[in-house]
Amino acid sequence: MIIDLIKKNIPEYKITLPVSNKKCSFRPLLVKEEKYFSIITNISSTFEDRMTNLCSMVDSCFDNKLKSSLLPIPDFQFILNSIRQKSIGETSKIKLTCPYTKEQVLVNLNLNSVSTQKSQKQFSLKIKEDFLMTFRCPRITDILEFSTFPETDEDYFSLISKCLVEIETPSEKINVENDDILEKNKYIELVEKSKYKEVKEFVCNSSIKFKIEYKTSDETDREIEVDDFVNFLKFYLVILTL
């Protein structure tokens, strides 16, 4: 009885995810999510443990009605930002190194500066007029197959292969999402370099974006835009509890 009364008084917020366009509801972080924070914020935790617990924390805020690790990464980012705003606040003070002056700067970040314009769920690469390769947005489950965040060209090549879902020829559409990764690697290796650059840009920049504005000691107003999912997720592993 008392538990039901408490539950009824927990705030609930509705959001629409920018890629999947799914409407869903979540609540702010509760004390019971603390069990995830000790692993998420512990730098000695493995990459897999930190990311897995981050997903579990998100799922818990949706009463486990959502499997966040399977969402397109822009949707996952949007959810993280929404939970952080409603649970802790819409601003966060962080220290960063200015890429221009190399000095440490204390920044008061406005989390409402996140750009949430609708992103593409898939990208079709035209190899020839009647031959297409279709790629989906990366997911957290794809990232978890690495030992850390993908950062090298080799990492991104593997990630792009994981995201290849369909090949369309003049006569048929072939679903390749569950093909062996080594086979998919071979498909990608035969793509022209200029066309590969297009799909790499789609996969690597499948991200919501936010701007960080600050002033350096020379009184110059500066701005950094975080526009890739790797730096976004690294950033949120730091500020989630600040």
Side-chain angles (χ1 to χ4, degrees):
M1 179 69 175
I2 294 176
I3 288 179
D4 290 337
L5 286 172
I6 294 173
K7 284 182 177 179
K8 286 181 180 178
N9 284 281
I10 296 173
E12 184 177 88
Y13 304 98
K14 298 184 183 299
I15 54 174
T16 301
L17 304 183
V19 175
S20 59
N21 207 32
K22 180 181 176 66
K23 294 182 180 359
C24 46
S25 301
F26 72 97
R27 57 161 174 76
L29 293 165
L30 304 177
V31 173
K32 70 177 184 176
E33 271 80 58
E34 289 292 332
K35 60 187 176 185
Y36 302 120
F37 287 128
S38 60
I39 297 174
I40 293 170
T41 58
N42 189 336
I43 59 173
S44 65
S45 297
T46 66
F47 170 76
E48 182 179 8
D49 285 342
R50 295 178 78 192
M51 293 305 299
T52 299
N53 278 271
L54 185 63
C55 291
S56 296
M57 183 207 75
V58 169
D59 293 349
S60 183
C61 289
F62 285 81
D63 293 327
N64 294 308
K65 295 175 182 176
L66 192 72
K67 187 70 174 175
S68 61
S69 62
L70 297 177
L71 291 173
I73 278 182
D75 283 351
F76 186 83
Q77 293 173 293
F78 181 72
I79 285 172
L80 268 184
N81 191 58
S82 300
I83 290 174
R84 170 59 172 75
Q85 287 192 54
K86 298 303 183 184
S87 302
I88 301 167
E90 297 180 350
T91 61
S92 177
K93 288 187 177 179
I94 59 166
K95 278 188 178 180
L96 59 81
T97 301
C98 175
Y100 307 102
T101 66
K102 308 304 179 188
E103 64 183 288
Q104 287 271 307
V105 182
L106 183 64
V107 177
N108 191 31
L109 176 64
N110 180 3
L111 299 177
N112 285 312
S113 65
V114 167
S115 173
T116 58
Q117 71 265 24
K118 190 171 177 60
S119 303
Q120 287 179 272
K121 190 173 185 178
Q122 293 187 329
F123 171 74
S124 291
L125 181 69
K126 185 183 291 186
I127 306 300
K128 287 188 176 179
E129 193 62 38
D130 54 2
F131 191 96
L132 300 173
M133 284 184 169
T134 300
F135 299 82
R136 59 166 171 76
C137 276
R139 304 167 180 154
I140 297 296
T141 48
D142 301 319
I143 308 300
L144 285 172
E145 295 188 33
F146 297 91
S147 58
T148 185
F149 286 109
E151 293 183 332
T152 67
D153 288 339
E154 185 178 353
D155 290 339
Y156 283 117
F157 178 85
S158 296
L159 182 60
I160 289 167
S161 291
K162 293 178 196 301
C163 294
L164 177 62
V165 293
E166 186 179 83
I167 294 175
E168 182 177 348
T169 72
S171 59
E172 62 181 329
K173 290 183 179 180
I174 308 166
N175 187 319
V176 297
E177 182 160 19
N178 297 318
D179 281 17
D180 182 82
I181 191 65
L182 295 178
E183 280 299 305
K184 291 171 78 170
N185 287 348
K186 291 176 183 177
Y187 307 154
I188 305 296
E189 285 173 350
L190 296 176
V191 173
E192 293 176 52
K193 191 171 181 180
S194 60
K195 295 184 183 297
Y196 176 74
K197 186 177 179 181
E198 291 180 47
V199 71
K200 184 178 180 182
E201 183 174 342
F202 165 72
V203 170
C204 298
N205 294 328
S206 289
S207 169
I208 63 173
K209 302 171 175 59
F210 65 90
K211 294 178 181 178
I212 302 176
E213 297 176 341
Y214 61 97
K215 184 175 289 190
T216 45
S217 58
D218 58 3
E219 295 300 311
T220 301
D221 291 322
R222 302 190 186 272
E223 180 181 287
I224 301 172
E225 185 174 73
V226 178
D227 60 359
D228 64 280
F229 68 84
V230 170
N231 282 324
F232 186 101
L233 292 174
K234 283 181 179 179
F235 179 74
Y236 265 77
L237 286 174
V238 175
I239 74 154
L240 197 58
T241 56
L242 294 178

